[in-house]
Amino acid sequence: MKLNEFELIKTLTEKLVKTSKDLVVGIGDDAAVVKRDSFYEIISSDALVEDVHYKREWKDQVPNLYYYLGRKLLTISVSDIASMGGVPEFSVINLGVSLESCEEDLVELYEGLSQACKDYGVTIIGGDTVSSATEFFDSTVFGKANGYLLRSNAKPGDLVAVSGTLGDSKAGLEILLKREELDHYLVERFLNPQARVEEGKEALSLGIECATDVSDSFVFNLYTIAESSGVGIKVFEKEIPISESLVKYAKEKALHFALYGGEDYEIVITFKEKLLDKIEKIGFKVVGEVVNEKGVFLDERRLEKKGFLHF
């Protein structure tokens, strides 16, 4: 039986048994949450795999490609910690080294990884290095918080807001795949995303209860909130945040990029209207509202649930 990514996760998860009474949030949200004596530990893991997430040939266009990959490797796991309202602390890094891997690239990877650790306040505490037919890099990040945000806490009447702009990363990826002239802003948004740690932390401190990050696509991740919460979400076309660079590159397709592009690593939240002024001050833009009708809508049009899937 051929499965897609999330069907496979569901099938495998059904084989697992919960053995810890301290596990508060397990598989099914952006990260796991474990109750400690005086705080919540938040844990997430992600990987970058050659020819799935990046191509070695991109070094022709981006000479310091592996520096960016090192930064991105940590950032994508930190983003999950951020979307739960946590602050990252420690990381474990695993490397799969292929016959095509070279020491120079791996040193450059660790230069980028080291800089990302400085930026996010993360200490690498261990990992593993193995031989592999395909080059890959894996990061697990451990963070902490006084509480946590969940996809499943959206309620009808909440407003929906997002940090940053959407669709830039998809454009940067397309430029690299098509080997087009570089738009450095868009390529940077793909190779060097920024995890919204401060925004997530501030949202939690304001009493926000619902959030997720935009990793698979804006629409797909809105569906993860809607389905987990048993609600619907309506967003308004005129409010979708799109950068001038994306409009210049994608033209009439810019909205589609914003809705269905992945790996923006922005944070989506839902919140009570009384918090609107405070939410805008910490860098979020209101784009819609939570409704009773199930699904995700752009104005009055139901949107298809799609985003990046591995299978």
Side-chain angles (χ1 to χ4, degrees), residues 246-255:
L246 180 58
V247 171
K248 182 179 179 181
Y249 173 78
K251 299 180 175 59
E252 70 278 358
K253 296 182 180 179
L255 178 63

Side-chain angles (χ1 to χ4, degrees), residues 11 32 47 51 62 70 78 83 86 97 132 135 148 153 162 173 196-197 202 262 289-290 298 300 306:
T11 298
D51 292 329
V62 185
V78 169
S83 68
V97 181
S132 173
E135 184 177 83
Y148 49 90
N153 284 336
V162 65
L173 171 60
R196 300 295 191 175
V197 176
E202 290 291 334
E289 61 187 357
V290 179
L298 182 67
E300 303 304 321
K306 62 180 182 180

Side-chain angles (χ1 to χ4, degrees), residues 44-46 69-75 77-78 90-96 106 109-110 113-114 116-117 122-130 136-142:
S44 183
S45 185
D46 276 290
L69 292 179
R71 288 189 56 84
K72 187 170 184 177
L73 176 63
L74 189 75
T75 296
S77 290
V78 169
F90 302 106
S91 179
V92 173
I93 302 296
N94 297 316
L95 305 182
L106 297 179
L109 179 95
Y110 262 70
L113 183 59
S114 177
C117 285
V122 172
T123 299
I124 294 176
I125 57 173
D128 193 17
T129 301
V130 300
F136 72 88
F137 314 118
D138 172 88
S139 67
T140 299
V141 174
F142 302 80

Side-chain angles (χ1 to χ4, degrees), residues 267-285:
I267 294 181
V268 181
I269 60 172
T270 77
F271 63 96
K272 303 302 181 188
E273 188 173 2
K274 65 182 180 180
L275 294 174
L276 177 58
D277 290 343
K278 294 179 180 179
I279 289 302
E280 291 178 334
K281 286 179 181 178
I282 63 173
F284 288 92
K285 182 182 189 298

Side-chain angles (χ1 to χ4, degrees), residues 165-205:
T165 56
L166 300 169
D168 296 326
S169 180
K170 175 177 171 59
L173 171 60
E174 186 171 286
I175 288 169
L176 291 171
L177 289 174
K178 293 183 176 180
R179 304 187 72 80
E180 298 174 336
E181 181 179 352
L182 295 190
D183 179 305
H184 292 285
Y185 170 79
L186 296 175
V187 171
E188 179 102 357
R189 286 277 283 156
F190 169 65
L191 288 177
N192 188 25
Q194 306 301 307
R196 300 295 191 175
V197 176
E198 288 302 316
E199 289 87 342
K201 184 174 69 172
E202 290 291 334
L204 180 64
S205 71

